[in-house]
Each structure stands twice: as C-alpha cells, then as structure tokens.
Amino acid sequence: MSKFESKIKKVGYPQQNVFNMLSDLSNIERVRDRIPEDKLKDLTFDHDSVSISSPMGPVTLRVVERDEPKCVKFETDQSPVPMTLWIQMLPTSETESKLKVTLKADLPIFMGAMVKKPLEEGVEKIADALAMIPYDI
C-alpha cells in the first residue's frame, strides 16, 4: 500500500463549515465555476459520490465515513487501482482551520514508479483546491 500526503493547508473558515461542505458532495455544484472546463464534461456527483475521468480510466469515489467535524473518508467504487482518500480538518481558531489530504493506493509494483509523481502532485492539487473553496454556509 502506497501512501501520499499533502502539506497542511490553512483555511480561512471554521472547521465545522469545512466539514459541512466536504461531507456532502452535492455541494460541488456551489464551486462548479472554479473547476476547469476540461474537467467538467466527465464530472458527476451526488450526496455521497463523485466520478471523474482520469488518464487511467474512470474513477468513482464514495464517502464511506464521516467523522464530524474532523474527517471525511472516501473509497473508490470504480477505479483502475483500489484507493482510499481522506480529508482531515482541524481547528486553529474559532474562525480558521487547517486541512490535509491523504491517499492510500494499492499499486502494483510495476506501476509504483510510474504513477508515484502524478499521485503526489494530484494529492497536493486537491488540497490546494480545497483550501481555496469558500466555505460560507
């Protein structure tokens, strides 16, 4: 099992706001205008899942655990590689928090070296994007 972690990102909103937004994937609609156009055509989502196309094929992540207000955990329903992704949120004050994205992937040995860098970059990009979302509820 390979593990990839983002750097810790500061978020200018309370932990509960961040959790409320990220634990309900239908909230993606609120930030749809911030998603690059080329990613929108294959993006589908509902309350518990999100699906996208990746260079390796379609990927569907489903929420499998909500630990309010500190963590949302996802697992792949459909993916070329089994993965678990979780977003951890911690308060830094009453009005700010921080988050970190972690990905564990069951990579075959022959794929490890090939996808390590794209997965590291992907986890960091996800964390950066999550840190910039407006979490006004």
Side-chain angles (χ1 to χ4, degrees), residues 101-119:
V101 176
T102 304
L103 174 78
K104 282 189 179 178
D106 192 6
L107 299 173
I109 293 171
F110 67 90
M111 281 183 76
M114 188 170 44
V115 299
K116 181 180 180 199
K117 187 158 179 70
L119 286 175

Side-chain angles (χ1 to χ4, degrees), residues 7-59:
K7 293 179 180 140
I8 294 172
K9 307 295 179 179
K10 292 182 181 183
V11 182
Y13 294 89
Q15 177 188 22
Q16 189 67 52
N17 288 40
V18 177
F19 177 85
N20 291 345
M21 174 80 101
L22 298 180
S23 65
D24 179 355
L25 295 176
S26 60
N27 287 321
I28 291 172
E29 189 62 46
R30 293 175 54 197
V31 295
R32 193 177 194 101
D33 61 328
R34 295 172 181 252
I35 301 169
E37 280 295 318
D38 62 324
K39 305 292 186 237
L40 285 176
K41 66 180 185 309
D42 298 320
L43 176 70
T44 59
F45 53 88
D46 59 29
H47 177 74
D48 290 319
S49 67
V50 61
S51 297
I52 58 166
S53 288
S54 78
M56 295 179 5
V59 176

Side-chain angles (χ1 to χ4, degrees), residues 76 80 87 89 91 104-105 110 130-131:
T76 51
I87 305 166
M89 298 142 269
K104 282 189 179 178
F110 67 90
L130 294 175

